[in-house]
Amino acid sequence: MKKLIIFLITIIFINAKIIKDSLGREVNMPEKVNKIVAIGPGALRMVVYLKSQNKVVGIEFKEKKFMPYARPYIAANKFLLKLPVIGVGGPNPNPNLEKIISIKPDVIIAGYINKSYANLISKKTGIPVFVITYGNIGNFANKKFFNSIRALGKVLNKEKRANDVINFINDMQKDLENRKININKKVYIGAVAFKGLHSLTTTISKFPPFEILGIKNVISKNIKSPFNISLETLYKVNPDIIFIDESGLKLVKKELFKYKNLQAFKQHQTYGILPYNLYMTNIGTAYLDTYFIGKVLDPQKFKDIDIEKKADEIYTFLVGKNVYPLMTKKLGGLKKLELLQKN
């Protein structure tokens, strides 16, 4: 009997592996993962970065319906939109456990859920739940994201790919940090996407693309999350150059009468950037935005950068296809915005 128990335990461990997730939970994972679902912010994107989208058997409603063309991992893999819906999605993903059980994934990859909820889902479904994180919202290269993608690489048997992704991101980070710029102009970012779409008076003082380049938002507060300012405040600081998150561009155009007397609008110094905070950070887009911002503010330091070629390089590597032309068609692309008629 004792030998039989030892044999059974041995068989279990041969066909399984224990991997720590972002919550420090030791999750018993199958040795080979063939079918997965991803729930919560950022989970599906990380799966695509690891070239495991062919293993996905269900998708959240939010991924299907809310601006899929603005999330490169979806835009490059449209077959994902045809998969069965396995929950609403969002910051509190509320997965449909009965549906998940019916499609029999080997593992559930979850973004930003707590330990008790992860354990509850696993208990109710009988499926291991592996939790990932990107760190704080808006961050690009950071230890928490790298640790998560390494761990998920072990889950999906994509360890080499995980390291390649980390190296690719680190190379962009170092390249941009070596191009820090000095300007005497007042710069502002507006219409920042955050839990929905917003107009020009939604900003973020510690805007990561600005910080990488060594510049400051003219609205300077020790706040890392997006927040609203008054129209009066925006006129008081009166930026020389304004970057507009194109997720909110329609709202800005609708309210153009409010902003038309700002210096940046009158001098035609308004520029569109692609939204990168959509269901957590679209890391490739975040870096592409940063290259574009650098090229606008210091063309000499970025004269070797062709934005369209850089977009092709970033998106092809991270999501398998250059989706920049589609994003440009739907959102506007990285460009100067002529919002007022020239005299």
Side-chain angles (χ1 to χ4, degrees):
M1 185 68 178
K2 185 177 180 181
K3 288 183 179 180
L4 177 61
I5 292 171
I6 293 172
F7 173 76
L8 290 172
I9 291 172
T10 303
I11 291 295
I12 290 169
F13 277 92
I14 287 173
N15 293 296
K17 51 190 175 184
I18 296 173
I19 304 172
K20 276 189 179 182
D21 69 6
S22 67
L23 298 174
R25 298 164 60 247
E26 293 187 336
V27 187
N28 200 339
M29 304 297 306
E31 186 64 35
K32 192 170 183 181
V33 173
N34 295 312
K35 296 167 65 178
I36 59 180
V37 295
I39 65 171
L44 183 56
R45 181 186 300 107
M46 200 177 285
V47 168
V48 173
Y49 283 3
L50 291 173
K51 290 187 174 181
S52 295
Q53 56 266 42
N54 61 316
K55 298 177 186 289
V56 178
V57 292
I59 189 172
E60 293 176 311
F61 180 80
K62 183 179 177 72
E63 297 278 23
K64 280 195 173 193
K65 297 298 179 183
F66 183 67
M67 295 176 70
Y69 52 82
R71 296 193 303 284
Y73 60 99
I74 296 288
N77 299 279
K78 291 181 181 178
F79 73 91
L80 293 169
L81 297 173
K82 298 178 182 179
L83 296 175
V85 172
I86 47 89
V88 177
N92 301 302
N94 191 26
N96 183 332
L97 300 187
E98 288 184 4
K99 185 64 179 179
I100 290 175
I101 291 169
S102 74
I103 57 180
K104 301 178 180 178
D106 299 310
V107 62
I108 299 168
I109 312 300
Y112 294 87
I113 64 172
N114 60 39
K115 188 178 292 188
S116 60
Y117 194 34
N119 291 338
L120 179 65
I121 294 172
S122 187
K123 182 179 179 181
K124 286 189 172 183
T125 61
I127 301 166
V129 175
F130 195 85
V131 183
I132 58 94
T133 183
Y134 287 58
N136 294 330
I137 188 168
N139 286 344
F140 307 170
N142 71 85
K143 188 176 180 180
K144 288 183 178 180
F145 171 79
F146 290 156
N147 285 344
S148 274
I149 205 160
R150 278 196 195 96
L152 189 56
K154 292 178 182 177
V155 171
L156 301 173
N157 295 309
K158 292 283 188 177
E159 292 171 86
K160 182 182 182 303
R161 172 64 181 175
N163 285 328
D164 288 346
V165 169
I166 291 168
N167 290 335
F168 183 80
I169 292 170
N170 272 330
D171 286 346
M172 287 192 291
Q173 181 78 17
K174 290 173 185 175
D175 179 43
L176 286 162
E177 287 176 350
N178 287 332
R179 298 173 187 259
K180 287 190 183 294
I181 56 183
N182 291 308
I183 56 168
N184 294 320
K185 294 182 178 180
K186 295 177 290 183
V187 184
Y188 175 77
I189 171 67
V192 176
F194 179 69
K195 295 182 179 179
L197 307 181
H198 304 276
S199 192
L200 195 64
T201 50
T202 298
T203 189
I204 177 168
S205 57
K206 290 185 174 296
F207 188 52
F210 286 3
E211 298 220 307
I212 291 173
L213 295 169
I215 60 176
K216 292 183 178 180
N217 187 348
V218 67
I219 301 294
S220 182
K221 291 185 178 181
N222 191 27
I223 301 174
K224 292 186 177 181
S225 298
F227 59 95
N228 294 320
I229 62 171
S230 67
L231 185 61
E232 182 183 10
T233 297
L234 185 56
Y235 268 95
K236 187 176 181 179
V237 296
N238 207 9
D240 299 304
I241 300 172
I242 293 177
F243 291 95
I244 298 173
D245 182 326
E246 288 178 338
S247 67
L249 184 56
K250 287 183 179 179
L251 294 174
V252 174
K253 288 180 176 179
K254 189 177 179 180
E255 300 177 348
L256 194 56
F257 66 94
K258 294 182 180 180
Y259 313 123
K260 65 181 181 179
N261 291 318
L262 287 166
Q263 175 78 3
F265 281 78
K266 291 194 293 185
Q267 296 299 319
H268 305 282
Q269 289 298 304
T270 53
Y271 298 85
I273 61 171
L274 295 170
Y276 71 80
N277 275 327
L278 287 173
Y279 217 24
M280 273 311 293
T281 308
N282 287 289
I283 291 176
T285 300
Y287 279 107
L288 184 61
D289 281 347
T290 308
Y291 275 104
F292 175 70
I293 291 167
K295 199 168 179 70
V296 169
L297 298 179
D298 195 336
Q300 189 61 28
K301 276 195 176 178
F302 286 81
K303 65 181 179 179
D304 61 316
I305 299 297
D306 180 302
I307 291 299
E308 291 190 1
K309 288 181 180 178
K310 181 58 71 174
D312 188 356
E313 174 193 341
I314 290 172
Y315 291 131
T316 301
F317 178 81
L318 287 176
V319 300
K321 182 181 179 181
N322 180 16
V323 294
Y324 183 66
L326 173 64
M327 295 173 75
T328 296
K329 181 180 178 181
K330 294 286 189 179
L331 294 160
L334 299 164
K335 66 179 184 180
K336 189 173 189 177
L337 300 170
E338 297 292 354
L339 296 175
L340 298 179
Q341 287 186 350
K342 290 186 176 180
N343 296 325

